[in-house]
Amino acid sequence: MRSVKSLLAAGAATLLSTAAFAADMAIAPPPYAPPVVEEFGGWYLRGDIGFSNQRVDRLNNVLDRNNTSSVQTNNFNSAGIFGLGVGYKVNNWFRADVTGEYRGNSSFFGTDRITYVGGVGTDTYHATKNEWVVLANAYVDLGTWWCITPFIGAGVGGARVAINGFTDQGIASNPVQPGPALAGLAFGDNVAKWNFAWAAHAGLAYRVTPNFTVELAYRYLDMGDGLTGDLRTFDGTNNVNNPMTFKHLTSHDLKLGVRWDLSTPPVYAPPPLVTKG
């Protein structure tokens, strides 16, 4: 009987010591699932390069009212685009930025076949043009697939349009009274003027790293009118208030851009191991 009591006492002591040892062991935490990292806002810098494909509706002069018809052909060479900007990403679908850019010199060549009372004439135009453009832009990101995000946007601001080195070489003849054709050359002083400008954007953005994105974008840009000084002949003759106006300058631009995200995404660490004792 005593041996049975001794055996029970030894078993109870063993159970108590096992329970105490288990209490001193570390309590395993529940399985850890990292939280979903959502997109968040932040400041970014951007840079852009590209080239332009420019258009002008027509060239106008106050003396054109004396013409009965005018058929023009006007062309600009492509020019480089160089821009910088700063912006803010509000959330994962909306962002906005302010950009400033220089649009390099583009050579202009135009012809104008004019019919007027008593004769016909042909004018040949040459000039160069460049701009400074400042825009406030807003964009909507349309979702992301395989790190590629299509977007659309719009911008408003101002364009400083500079027309330089304008020349007008004209040849006129009178078919009613045959004789030698008359030739003339006129010049317009350099003029730069600020206009209201607006733009429409569309493109694709590729997120290379969490803080670095590359963009390929198309932009339609409306820059208003360009202007020369009053036209004067080679001998200095000047018809006052007769500048040449480049009516409705527009451009179809292709740009390659980069964005640097200045914010740092949050870093989530797993919870510490909880121990007791």
Side-chain angles (χ1 to χ4, degrees):
M1 189 68 172
R2 180 176 295 177
S3 61
V4 174
K5 292 181 178 180
S6 299
L7 183 60
L8 291 174
T14 301
L15 290 174
L16 291 173
S17 62
T18 301
F21 176 74
D24 290 334
M25 291 182 62
I27 298 175
Y32 173 70
V36 177
V37 179
E38 298 181 353
E39 294 285 347
F40 59 96
W43 292 98
Y44 63 84
L45 300 177
R46 69 174 301 131
D48 298 275
I49 59 173
F51 62 90
S52 63
N53 183 15
Q54 304 182 64
R55 296 286 186 273
V56 59
D57 282 358
R58 66 177 293 105
L59 268 61
N60 286 349
N61 187 277
V62 66
L63 300 180
D64 291 343
R65 64 176 180 266
N66 298 321
N67 302 328
T68 57
S69 69
S70 170
V71 179
Q72 294 186 1
T73 301
N74 301 311
N75 295 287
F76 284 101
N77 289 340
S78 181
I81 300 171
F82 312 91
L84 296 172
V86 59
Y88 188 80
K89 184 177 176 66
V90 179
N91 50 40
N92 61 352
W93 63 270
F94 182 78
R95 55 190 169 87
D97 57 38
V98 176
T99 58
E101 70 180 43
Y102 174 72
R103 301 167 59 87
N105 278 326
S106 175
S107 297
F108 172 78
F109 173 78
T111 60
D112 193 358
R113 180 175 175 80
I114 301 170
T115 302
Y116 56 92
V117 177
V120 295
T122 300
D123 286 278
T124 302
Y125 306 123
H126 291 90
T128 60
K129 178 177 70 69
N130 61 71
E131 299 89 22
W132 288 94
V133 178
V134 179
L135 293 173
N137 307 285
Y139 311 88
V140 175
D141 293 329
L142 303 177
T144 300
W145 297 267
W146 301 285
C147 299
I148 298 176
T149 303
F151 64 87
I152 56 175
V156 295
R160 180 185 181 273
V161 179
I163 306 294
N164 302 312
F166 181 84
T167 61
D168 175 0
Q169 184 174 5
I171 299 176
S173 61
N174 188 338
V176 177
Q177 298 178 353
L182 301 177
L185 181 64
F187 304 87
D189 288 337
N190 300 345
V191 172
K193 64 186 292 280
W194 281 96
N195 302 318
F196 173 77
W198 64 271
H201 311 270
L204 298 172
Y206 179 73
R207 193 170 186 179
V208 181
T209 70
N211 293 87
F212 182 71
T213 302
V214 178
E215 288 183 1
L216 180 63
Y218 160 82
R219 179 181 67 186
Y220 175 82
L221 179 64
D222 187 312
M223 298 175 287
D225 298 340
L227 195 68
T228 73
D230 288 342
L231 298 189
R232 66 184 188 282
T233 62
F234 69 94
D235 63 358
T237 302
N238 178 16
N239 292 315
V240 179
N241 296 324
N242 72 331
M244 190 67 76
T245 302
F246 287 65
K247 294 294 293 182
H248 195 205
L249 293 162
T250 60
S251 185
H252 299 272
D253 301 333
L254 185 64
K255 301 194 302 173
L256 180 66
V258 293
R259 301 201 312 260
W260 292 273
D261 189 348
L262 301 180
S263 58
T264 303
V267 177
Y268 296 98
L273 185 66
V274 178
T275 62
K276 181 179 179 181

